[in-house]
Amino acid sequence: MIIQEPFYQPVANEVGVFMAAWSRRLPVMLKGPTGCGKTRFLEHMAWRLKRPLITVACHEDLTSSDLVGRFLIEGDATVWQDGPLTKAVREGAICYLDEIVEARTDTTVVIHPLTDHRRHLPIEKLGTEINAHPDFMLVISYNPGYQTVLKDLKPSTKQRFVGMNFTYPPAEVETRIVMKEAGLDESRSKALVAAADKARNLKDQGLQEVTSTRALIYAGALMVAGLESLEACTMAIINPQTDDPELSEALLEIFRTFFPER
Amino acid sequence: MIIQEPFYQPVANEVGVFMAAWSRRLPVMLKGPTGCGKTRFLEHMAWRLKRPLITVACHEDLTSSDLVGRFLIEGDATVWQDGPLTKAVREGAICYLDEIVEARTDTTVVIHPLTDHRRHLPIEKLGTEINAHPDFMLVISYNPGYQTVLKDLKPSTKQRFVGMNFTYPPAEVETRIVMKEAGLDESRSKALVAAADKARNLKDQGLQEVTSTRALIYAGALMVAGLESLEACTMAIINPQTDDPELSEALLEIFRTFFPER
Amino acid sequence: MIIQEPFYQPVANEVGVFMAAWSRRLPVMLKGPTGCGKTRFLEHMAWRLKRPLITVACHEDLTSSDLVGRFLIEGDATVWQDGPLTKAVREGAICYLDEIVEARTDTTVVIHPLTDHRRHLPIEKLGTEINAHPDFMLVISYNPGYQTVLKDLKPSTKQRFVGMNFTYPPAEVETRIVMKEAGLDESRSKALVAAADKARNLKDQGLQEVTSTRALIYAGALMVAGLESLEACTMAIINPQTDDPELSEALLEIFRTFFPER
Amino acid sequence: MIIQEPFYQPVANEVGVFMAAWSRRLPVMLKGPTGCGKTRFLEHMAWRLKRPLITVACHEDLTSSDLVGRFLIEGDATVWQDGPLTKAVREGAICYLDEIVEARTDTTVVIHPLTDHRRHLPIEKLGTEINAHPDFMLVISYNPGYQTVLKDLKPSTKQRFVGMNFTYPPAEVETRIVMKEAGLDESRSKALVAAADKARNLKDQGLQEVTSTRALIYAGALMVAGLESLEACTMAIINPQTDDPELSEALLEIFRTFFPER
Amino acid sequence: MIIQEPFYQPVANEVGVFMAAWSRRLPVMLKGPTGCGKTRFLEHMAWRLKRPLITVACHEDLTSSDLVGRFLIEGDATVWQDGPLTKAVREGAICYLDEIVEARTDTTVVIHPLTDHRRHLPIEKLGTEINAHPDFMLVISYNPGYQTVLKDLKPSTKQRFVGMNFTYPPAEVETRIVMKEAGLDESRSKALVAAADKARNLKDQGLQEVTSTRALIYAGALMVAGLESLEACTMAIINPQTDDPELSEALLEIFRTFFPER
Amino acid sequence: MIIQEPFYQPVANEVGVFMAAWSRRLPVMLKGPTGCGKTRFLEHMAWRLKRPLITVACHEDLTSSDLVGRFLIEGDATVWQDGPLTKAVREGAICYLDEIVEARTDTTVVIHPLTDHRRHLPIEKLGTEINAHPDFMLVISYNPGYQTVLKDLKPSTKQRFVGMNFTYPPAEVETRIVMKEAGLDESRSKALVAAADKARNLKDQGLQEVTSTRALIYAGALMVAGLESLEACTMAIINPQTDDPELSEALLEIFRTFFPER
């Protein structure tokens, strides 16, 4: 259970849409790039709804057993241990499967009966199935920029979810976020957001992903910690984003405009 | 055993065909896209025939052991645990292997002797085979849209089944389903079905799968929960279906015609 | 041991050839498409020779351990359990490895010493080898239509077997089989076989495998169960055979000629 | 220990060469196609030298542990069990690794120190190494026709062996082998060998491997068992060798010349 | 805890940048080629900050369990053992994941919640998550020259780190390092660094990686051990760097200029 | 500990170079083709330095656990068993990783901290690291002729070693080796070496690897055992080296010149 209100700055009607899906317990898919606030939004909603939030970061080796549970050997006995999904289904938590497309395909299959009228979870190893707690809700995230032919959610799986699109916040909102999270003054926060806006236009020139809000916060934090503005931007934004000298120079040029060297 | 009659709206003679296959205990293959009612139909038939229904959602890591059973270590003893298929074979249930093509190939082999005159299940690990209960019936599902060269049922396996083709229901039937399932009024339900009919024509323009009946029900549910019609359609139908801005716009255009913004 | 004579309708001298191979205990390879009666033939021969028949359906995950045996842990002891091949070698049964090419390659190696003058089975895990019972005989099946560059028996393995070619029975024989197995009247059985004969010519036009005798029996069974002839053919023959609308229509056209709608 | 002299018909100085290698305990590689008598030759030499012969048929899943040994759990104790290679090294047997190129690559590495001046076997799991018994000898077989880029012995491994080339025996020798092994009269044995000689010329026209001596023996055995000569050749030689109707016909044509139908 | 000051020769403001990141506990990524001093720098910083340093050299088989921990069976009990990452998170150490891109992808996922505002480590196998000690800091290294399409950090992962770029030190600094580490006189140390500078220009002509500072130290050490200068350079610098005779000769030519043979 | 002096015939200053590396305990990489004496050289050096030599022949399935150690279950206790590398590190032995490039990539990572100033071995499974014994030395071998794009040491790993290049010895030295090892007279030994010299020129015409010194010794041994010279060369040199009839004939031609048939 999240006790303190997590800071979240709404951009549009995302709270209303989530509440509508919640009222019918429809499963929700959060679509959008990393570092744009999907996790924050969900923490905020869990706090609002006063439901526990169980997050599972999915990866290539995550199997349905990791989600549902497994037998453990304890001395002479074999005891069953619920996985995070089973726990959420039993206790009525919100279960958040982050980047589920990264997990092994058996995980997709295991959530299917939880996403339609059945709302139950078959536990094949126990030979039973359990009905979801009335407050159980399933949320997944999905980053459209990363999907490939080899790794994508099946269209039929996607259609089992209500899809909410996320993107980076508008300049004014993003400035307020940088100020609050990094503890930076307004003028430099504004400059950071304005420079990021320009830098994001370089995407078509070879950057794999645009500057995230999180990177702006890191740059701000380094400034507050005493680094020169341009050095802070280089360390927190440019170096992590590209290994290419020309792209680095192009990005540096942009940030230099907003943070002229003394 | 399914106690309450599951809602199912027949479209053609599917009940008669299934009853004929059942009378001879011929194995049945349900062919058709996801979300068109195959699972519902089978729940309905199990209820009619008063037979238990055992469903196994197949996936890439599902092996024949998951279906047939395995040895578990309990203290000092090794005990055998029947898998869902063995359980169905023993008790005379209907065993439904959903999307069996996703499972590992050894599963296909294990069901072969259950699909011809032998009607027995060899359990290699026990060194025995069990004859199927007279009421045992095997049903598999198969989505023709997903099959690839790498992943397809062998023609010789398909020929072991009676094949029933499913598709989305006609407009009138689908409207009644949306009304009942989402609790939506008739006029908006009709509009949803009419818009979906148009949207389904976009398949050739890049949509991997057409709008499912389930997505229409979700959209209706969001409207009942208070969302504006177009927002509900965007969240439940358009966002889950495509990441492409142009396709999104094209779909939105269609739904806008049927749900003009106020 | 098979007690009741299994129905088998000989086509040529297949019984004589098998008896000659048996008299010298030469290993036999049954070549031919699925559903043409290979399994039935072998059940019939085992019944004639009054030898037990041990069948192993091979698949991609079947290893030599599955055939030969393995150690099981029982309490504090590790006990050896014979696999089906070892059991057959010890007891003098006919061992039938169905579609052995599907199994892992170590299985092929394990049968080699059983197919030449040595006639013994090395059990590496026990560090011993056992000489085959004088009545032991090895039979494998092989479907030439399925072999690919990646998956084929090595020529040197094939040459260790006497090869018997099977195909679908001639019309008269097949009609009698359909009548007996489906319980269908002669006229509709004849029509089914005649239609299948025409349909089998479509192979070059995209059908992966031709109509099997088994599918004809299923169609007949559905007719006996009360379905209209054309519906029965659609469900039992056409739907399982193709997902392509044009091929379906072409097949339907053929069957319509033999079963004109009332 | 092989007690009865195994029948072997020498072709050239192979016995002398093997004796020379044995006198220096040099490792030997038998090169040649399957079914040409490599195994028989080695059984014969083991009998002559009065050494036990331990044969391991290699396959894709054979690891160095299968050769060297492994720990087994017995009750509370973990006991070591020698593999066949270790047994041969300890007891001074001839160890024959049949088609070693099929095994996993770690097997090649494990035999290296046994093939040079060191003549010891490191057993990494025991943390020791054992010196080979003075009478230990290592023999491997190798079929040049099967090697591919992906699967071949490294040149540096091959150079650790004395290489003896084998091929099918000359007509006179082969006739005597067929007579003895199949129990067939001289005239039909001669005809079989003469026909095989012609058939072997078809190799360049698509046959993957030429007719083996073993297949001739099988054909002879079927004739002795009462089958007509041409039927016997079809079953034992032609059917196992090709699935191609034209090649079958070409082969049949050859055998028909030598066994004109009555 | 590192007790003795590790020798580190700063090149630019790298100490200041690291201190700024440390003051906000921002995760840091050290970018640069091998052998240029990244490990040394971090040992130096850990000594300065008086924090323990836990290093994990990542490789292809390293899984998240290796980092986080696993259950071990001890007698009748199953006991949990913390992995190095968990230990660092609990005790407030600096955890250095060297070449994390080499590890399996689940490791990347496991560090995500440690790199944003959450600063906690979910331990799925225990069903808990632990909050990082206030002094915990995460550092990874990354060699831009090695990344391929198949093996690269996801851009969204990189953006979670402050990125510090490293390269080989300027001549004067490198000379001092060689003198101190190899114990070599100044004149030969200078010659080594000057030659290396020239040799590094050969990169575009086929050398996969330029001469590292470490190789210069090794060459110096061999000189101190009594080898002739040119032989020392050949053994420590040229032989390890290329198998190509022409490139070897080109490199030798360069070193001969600086160490003319007596 | 090697008690008897192993025969080794130095070619250049290899002993001096190795002693220099040893005096600084720098890790050494022996580069060169198989069968040219690398192993012998190292046995000789270990004998000279009076250090134990621990050799590990690397292969595709060798993991870091095989080198470092693993937990074994003994009754109720789990006991740790040092691997060969750990043993060498503890006891101050010379550890020789033969063809390390064949091993799995985690092995390379595990040796890194042993090859720089740290000289320690992290044992992740024990959660500790051990400092190397002052006399510990690491030696690896590397065959440049075998490396491929898929399988090669990373340049950054190679640069951690002093690299000593080996090749086949000059004629006079090789003759003496053949005489001593095979026990052959000088004249035939000279002829063998002279023929090998010519044969090695065929490399560019399709031979994968040139004739090794070891093969010459084998040929000599077969001559001493009584085989005719040309037969001995065929068995020990030509047959193991090629399956190609034309290359065989070309090689035979060369040897016939030096060993004209009587």
Side-chain angles (χ1 to χ4, degrees), chain A residues 24, chain B residues 4-9 40 172-186 189 213 216-217 220-221 224:
Chain A
R24 297 289 291 246
Chain B
Q4 209 182 345
E5 175 175 359
F7 171 70
Y8 180 76
Q9 185 69 42
R40 275 291 172 95
E172 195 197 349
V173 177
E174 199 168 27
T175 304
R176 243 174 303 142
I177 294 171
V178 172
M179 285 172 66
K180 175 147 180 23
E181 298 273 318
L184 189 69
D185 57 85
E186 188 171 357
S189 298
T213 306
L216 299 186
I217 295 168
V224 172

Side-chain angles (χ1 to χ4, degrees), chain B residues 31 76 78 104 115 142 159 163, chain C residues 61 73 75 218 235 239 243:
Chain B
K31 283 172 64 175
D76 279 1
T78 309
R104 295 184 64 95
T115 58
Y142 173 83
Q159 287 213 30
Chain C
D61 298 313
I73 298 174
Y218 280 9
M235 299 295 163
N239 284 350
D243 305 333

Side-chain angles (χ1 to χ4, degrees), chain B residues 24-134:
Chain B
R24 297 289 291 246
R25 300 300 186 272
L26 299 182
V28 166
M29 167 168 62
L30 308 179
K31 283 172 64 175
T34 346
C36 74
K38 299 193 299 280
T39 302
R40 275 291 172 95
F41 168 68
L42 195 58
E43 288 177 349
H44 182 79
M45 293 310 298
W47 172 82
R48 258 181 189 252
L49 294 168
K50 310 213 174 311
R51 302 304 320 152
L53 174 64
I54 295 181
T55 299
V56 181
C58 300
H59 54 80
E60 267 183 23
D61 298 313
L62 191 106
T63 65
S64 65
S65 293
D66 294 320
L67 289 181
V68 175
R70 54 166 54 87
F71 284 107
L72 289 183
I73 298 174
E74 288 200 355
D76 279 1
T78 309
V79 297
W80 173 261
Q81 190 189 44
D82 277 352
L85 179 60
T86 307
K87 230 176 124 189
V89 165
R90 278 198 217 275
E91 301 174 3
I94 298 174
C95 186
Y96 180 40
L97 305 179
D98 197 6
E99 303 251 15
I100 194 183
V101 76
E102 297 287 335
R104 295 184 64 95
T105 57
D106 59 344
T107 57
T108 331
V109 157
V110 112
I111 61 171
H112 271 199
L114 283 170
T115 58
D116 55 28
H117 66 282
R118 290 174 287 176
R119 273 183 68 88
H120 66 230
L121 175 69
I123 306 188
E124 275 158 35
K125 281 183 185 150
L126 292 180
T128 61
E129 58 188 41
I130 54 175
N131 292 313
H133 184 285

Side-chain angles (χ1 to χ4, degrees), chain C residues 216-242:
Chain C
L216 300 185
I217 296 169
Y218 280 9
L222 289 182
M223 294 178 192
V224 173
L227 287 199
E228 222 192 311
S229 298
L230 211 54
E231 188 164 43
C233 294
T234 305
M235 299 295 163
I237 300 170
I238 302 176
N239 284 350
Q241 222 170 342
T242 182

Side-chain angles (χ1 to χ4, degrees), chain E residues 78-136:
Chain E
T78 309
V79 297
W80 173 261
Q81 190 189 44
D82 276 352
L85 179 60
T86 307
K87 231 176 122 189
V89 165
R90 277 197 216 276
E91 301 173 4
I94 298 176
C95 187
Y96 179 40
L97 305 178
D98 196 6
E99 303 251 15
I100 195 184
V101 75
E102 296 287 335
R104 295 185 62 96
T105 57
D106 57 344
T107 57
T108 332
V109 157
V110 110
I111 61 170
H112 271 199
L114 283 169
T115 59
D116 56 28
H117 66 283
R118 291 174 286 176
R119 273 181 69 87
H120 65 229
L121 175 68
I123 307 188
E124 274 159 35
K125 281 183 186 151
L126 292 179
T128 62
E129 59 189 38
I130 54 176
N131 292 315
H133 184 285
D135 283 346
F136 168 76

Side-chain angles (χ1 to χ4, degrees), chain C residues 13 49 54 69 72 86 106 112 125 145 198 221 233 237 252:
Chain C
N13 188 26
L49 295 168
I54 295 181
L72 290 184
T86 307
D106 59 344
H112 272 199
K125 281 182 186 151
K198 274 223 148 45
C233 294
I237 300 170
L252 194 61

Side-chain angles (χ1 to χ4, degrees), chain B residues 231-244:
Chain B
E231 188 164 44
C233 294
T234 304
M235 298 296 162
I237 299 171
I238 302 177
N239 283 350
Q241 223 170 342
T242 181
D243 306 332
D244 182 282

